[in-house]
Amino acid sequence: MLMRTDPFREMDRIVQQLSGATGTWTKPSVMPMDAYREGDAYVIAFDLPGVSTEAIDIDVERNMLTVKAERRPVAQAEAVKVELSERPLGVFSRQVVLADTLDTERIQADYDAGVLTLRIPIAERAKPRKISISGRTGPQQIST
């Protein structure tokens, strides 16, 4: 139901992690995600620890889901000297192509404990259904 858009995205993520680069609006970092089916919905969970809900933007255009978020440095007093800074800052983005069988009009978003969870219901037209057969019952006999 979900399709990857860029086969080299994982390589970009690894290079960014190794180089310590932060994401920008023109070249955002990739945010980790999980996607799975739960009953009649697809669930996508994005890791966004330390990001406020006001800094998260979710868009759907046709079948393209785009999630963008920004984590800014915490304001520090002049007397504070940073000894270690490993948490990534900057802009994070992820695009996912959604299948036509998902109902993008009824996406639900929830943000808890640094995890953004999107629930996308499966469209009614894509669910399995029984087809009734009309007409005569039993075999027909042909007279000669």
Side-chain angles (χ1 to χ4, degrees):
M1 292 288 186
L2 304 175
M3 297 169 272
R4 293 184 182 252
T5 57
D6 185 358
F8 300 104
R9 194 97 183 198
E10 186 66 14
M11 286 294 284
D12 286 344
R13 185 186 67 76
I14 292 169
V15 169
Q16 282 181 341
Q17 280 183 336
L18 294 174
S19 68
T22 60
T24 63
W25 285 104
T26 56
K27 185 143 178 69
S29 297
V30 176
M31 66 184 81
M33 72 174 224
D34 291 333
Y36 53 92
R37 183 171 176 168
E38 186 177 82
D40 285 341
Y42 265 87
V43 179
I44 307 175
F46 299 93
D47 278 351
L48 294 171
V51 176
S52 69
T53 55
E54 295 81 28
I56 300 173
D57 186 37
I58 306 168
D59 290 314
V60 176
E61 184 175 336
R62 295 188 185 170
N63 288 8
M64 180 68 72
L65 170 72
T66 303
V67 177
K68 278 193 173 183
E70 183 175 11
R71 183 175 331 150
R72 295 184 177 166
V74 177
Q76 299 174 352
E78 285 186 34
V80 174
K81 180 180 175 190
V82 176
E83 297 292 331
L84 179 66
S85 179
E86 293 181 344
R87 298 182 327 159
L89 302 173
V91 179
F92 301 85
S93 178
R94 195 69 184 253
Q95 287 189 317
V96 179
V97 177
L98 303 175
D100 291 334
T101 57
L102 298 177
D103 188 352
T104 59
E105 298 293 322
R106 299 185 318 153
I107 295 176
Q108 296 175 339
D110 181 50
Y111 186 64
D112 184 40
V115 178
L116 173 67
T117 304
L118 303 180
R119 292 186 173 282
I120 310 167
I122 296 174
E124 288 297 322
R125 70 185 185 309
K127 292 179 183 175
R129 60 191 180 281
K130 291 282 185 187
I131 307 296
S132 62
I133 302 171
S134 62
R136 299 181 190 185
T137 59
Q140 283 186 317
Q141 291 185 358
I142 303 175
S143 37
T144 53

